[in-house]
Amino acid sequence: MNQTIGQAIETVFDKAPLKNLLLLSRIQANWAVIIGDSLVKVTKPLKIKNKCLYVGVSDAAYAQHLLYFQNHLLVLLASPYICDEGTITKITFQVIPFTNEKTIQTKQKKTKPKLTVQTNEKIEKTGQLIQNAQVKRSFQLFMQTTLQKQADFNR
């Protein structure tokens, strides 16, 4: 069965954890529009679990304030460009320590867990559907990176 690259990627991302990772990346890419310029530096979308978006907030006062705007934020998230209606039904705000991006990247590199053999086999099996060797390798690298990010988020 021959599939296009888009179909192969869509098949892999259709699984719930990967779909949530894709949704989270869309939210992060549009976060300034969703939350507003004044709050973008003190908030950060962390993960999606059971239709709930977890948002890190630098201070409890911001978390309390944002609770009043939860319904408005849910409407913005329901945009077809971001998540579609009903994909996110709740937002939980958590106070977390904020560090700069350079520190976060350094920590991730030091504690990067290895992908399981089973996960690598799934990537290889899915990649077998792609005929072009260069495209196949690019797809496999993309999936390894994506699954690594998922593992990092689930820690």
Side-chain angles (χ1 to χ4, degrees):
M1 179 169 111
N2 289 334
Q3 287 183 318
T4 65
I5 295 172
Q7 290 169 331
I9 291 172
E10 190 174 310
T11 300
V12 173
F13 272 107
D14 220 17
K15 310 275 187 286
L18 293 178
K19 190 172 187 178
N20 286 344
L21 188 61
L22 181 62
L23 290 171
L24 184 62
S25 68
R26 284 187 194 154
I27 291 169
Q28 289 170 335
N30 294 287
W31 191 239
V33 174
I34 296 166
I35 200 73
D37 291 335
S38 61
L39 294 172
V40 77
K41 292 180 181 177
V42 295
T43 60
K44 180 178 182 178
L46 301 172
K47 67 180 179 178
I48 298 172
K49 188 173 183 180
N50 299 326
K51 295 189 175 190
C52 179
L53 172 65
Y54 291 82
V55 177
V57 184
S58 66
D59 186 82
Y62 286 122
Q64 185 64 35
H65 177 74
L66 287 167
L67 282 173
Y68 294 108
F69 294 98
Q70 181 175 4
N71 289 336
H72 177 70
L73 294 171
L74 287 170
V75 169
L76 293 172
L77 289 167
S79 160
Y81 180 71
I82 300 173
C83 289
D84 284 330
E85 193 169 337
T87 305
I88 304 292
T89 57
K90 183 180 176 184
I91 302 173
T92 299
F93 300 100
Q94 300 174 331
V95 178
I96 62 168
F98 270 63
T99 57
N100 64 34
E101 291 299 317
K102 190 174 183 180
T103 305
I104 291 170
Q105 290 173 355
T106 304
K107 287 180 183 176
Q108 287 177 346
K109 286 180 183 175
K110 289 180 182 176
T111 61
K112 193 173 186 178
K114 302 273 186 201
L115 293 177
T116 64
V117 172
Q118 184 181 20
T119 301
N120 283 323
E121 287 173 356
K122 285 180 184 178
I123 293 169
E124 182 65 35
K125 184 178 178 183
T126 305
Q128 289 175 353
L129 301 171
I130 301 170
Q131 301 299 321
N132 183 305
Q134 186 177 4
V135 173
K136 182 179 187 176
R137 184 66 188 144
S138 295
F139 171 76
Q140 290 172 334
L141 289 173
F142 169 76
M143 290 309 303
Q144 287 172 343
T145 303
T146 302
L147 292 171
Q148 185 62 55
K149 287 183 180 180
Q150 178 189 12
D152 291 343
F153 277 117
N154 290 335
R155 284 192 291 150

